Amino acid sequence: MIPARPYRPKDKSRVELSVLLVYRWILARLRHQKFFSLDELNTAIRALLVELNNRPYQRLPGSRRSVFEALDRPAMRALPSSPYVFAEWKEVTVAFDYHGEIDGHYYSVPHALVGHSAWARFSAASVEVFFRSERVSSHVRSYQRGVHTTIGEHMPKSHRAHAEWSPQRLIQWGVSIGVNTGAVVEHLLRSKPHPEQGYRACLGLLSLSREYGDERLEAASALAVRLRSPTRKSVKSILESGRDRPHAQSEPLDLELPPHGNVRGPGYYH
């Protein structure tokens, strides 16, 4: 099918002829009448349109109505049960975090497609991702920018365990062991641009509690907070060295740096 060119009446001569007939047999006959509502105007046009379609052809047998009933109506199909939904298509590359970006929001696809190109079909209500003509994921459309929509089945097994945790749950777990452990967990979550980036370190603390016990972990966390180094690495180092034990904590902490030629101190800048 070739579309008609603009400003080329010969490309659509039949349509132009139909417009001419409507002007002559409908609009011209109504030009002196006044209408005070759209329904009133449509009623008048509808009556004249029936008359126009039933007018016999001058050189052919039948009328527009008879040709429609013989050719067009048998080929017509029923209207769709649901209204047409406008959608757009976009080619996306699946990033290393198995998500594709649509209008600033990130939607998950199966992690096996990382690095591949896929096609996303998105409407006002949904987002569908197709790979090699097969739909691989479907999501409810979200308009939050910079946010991820993730389906658990799309994640690698190593990531699903992390998805079961949330910042609030991790903090509650830390507080259940002790106030200082909760403070370390909260610091690990707040020290990252996104809390999810601190999950691995928090889960590392969980493994330390299984290895050393809750009491020692709380003592090591308390010492790490005093040293202003509330990190998993510091807590682990304290536990490995045994500095969390009571006899080790009875010794005074030397928090001052030893004299050294490379340590200039605040007086150097005066």
Side-chain angles (χ1 to χ4, degrees):
M1 183 174 291
I2 302 176
R5 297 170 295 176
Y7 306 107
R8 297 293 190 275
K10 292 183 179 180
D11 286 7
K12 48 186 185 298
S13 57
R14 290 185 179 274
V15 176
E16 295 291 345
L17 180 60
S18 299
V19 173
L20 177 61
L21 289 174
V22 170
Y23 270 116
R24 287 178 176 176
W25 295 100
I26 296 180
L27 296 184
R29 295 170 66 179
L30 298 175
R31 66 185 185 278
H32 297 305
Q33 299 185 36
K34 293 183 179 181
F35 300 94
F36 300 95
S37 70
L38 185 60
D39 291 337
E40 184 181 355
L41 173 61
N42 284 332
T43 300
I45 291 176
R46 190 175 297 111
L48 294 178
L49 183 61
V50 171
E51 181 181 338
L52 174 62
N53 288 332
N54 290 330
R55 287 177 62 85
Y57 286 122
Q58 293 182 359
R59 300 181 181 180
L60 297 174
S63 63
R64 289 174 178 79
R65 169 63 63 181
S66 63
V67 173
F68 171 80
E69 296 293 343
L71 300 179
D72 294 330
R73 186 178 292 278
M76 294 175 66
R77 294 181 296 178
L79 293 174
S81 58
S82 57
Y84 174 77
V85 177
F86 175 77
E88 299 179 72
W89 289 84
K90 177 184 178 182
E91 187 175 11
V92 297
T93 300
V94 182
F96 67 94
D97 62 352
Y98 47 87
H99 285 74
E101 180 268 331
I102 300 293
D103 285 345
H105 193 91
Y106 301 92
Y107 301 89
S108 68
V109 299
H111 67 88
L113 299 181
V114 169
H116 290 81
S117 293
W119 282 93
R121 178 184 181 275
F122 53 100
S123 64
S126 64
V127 173
E128 300 171 289
V129 182
F130 295 84
F131 180 71
R132 294 178 181 174
S133 302
E134 181 180 355
R135 191 175 74 172
V136 295
S137 69
S138 178
H139 302 271
V140 176
R141 179 76 181 272
S142 175
Y143 293 91
Q144 290 182 287
R145 302 183 66 85
V147 181
H148 292 68
T149 296
T150 307
I151 297 177
E153 289 76 6
H154 295 164
M155 307 172 67
K157 292 183 179 180
S158 59
H159 290 193
R160 293 182 191 177
H162 290 192
E164 297 175 358
W165 294 87
S166 65
Q168 190 60 35
R169 182 182 176 187
L170 289 168
I171 294 174
Q172 290 176 353
W173 165 78
V175 174
S176 68
I177 295 176
V179 176
N180 294 287
T181 305
V184 174
V185 171
E186 191 169 357
H187 172 79
L188 292 174
L189 295 173
R190 290 184 175 179
S191 62
K192 304 293 183 180
H194 302 285
E196 291 79 4
Q197 297 175 354
Y199 284 8
R200 187 180 297 273
C202 294
L203 294 175
L205 276 179
L206 177 61
S207 65
L208 292 178
S209 70
R210 292 196 299 265
E211 183 177 355
Y212 295 98
D214 292 350
E215 186 176 351
R216 288 196 61 189
L217 177 58
E218 172 63 14
S221 299
L223 183 56
V225 172
R226 288 175 58 195
L227 294 173
R228 292 181 293 219
S229 181
T231 64
R232 175 187 174 276
K233 184 177 181 180
S234 296
V235 174
K236 184 178 180 181
S237 176
I238 292 171
L239 291 170
E240 290 176 346
S241 63
R243 296 181 63 190
D244 60 293
R245 299 185 181 277
H247 66 82
Q249 294 191 24
S250 62
E251 300 176 0
L253 292 175
D254 185 10
L255 301 179
E256 298 294 332
L257 293 173
H260 192 275
N262 293 335
V263 180
R264 293 172 289 190
Y268 175 83
Y269 298 96
H270 292 295

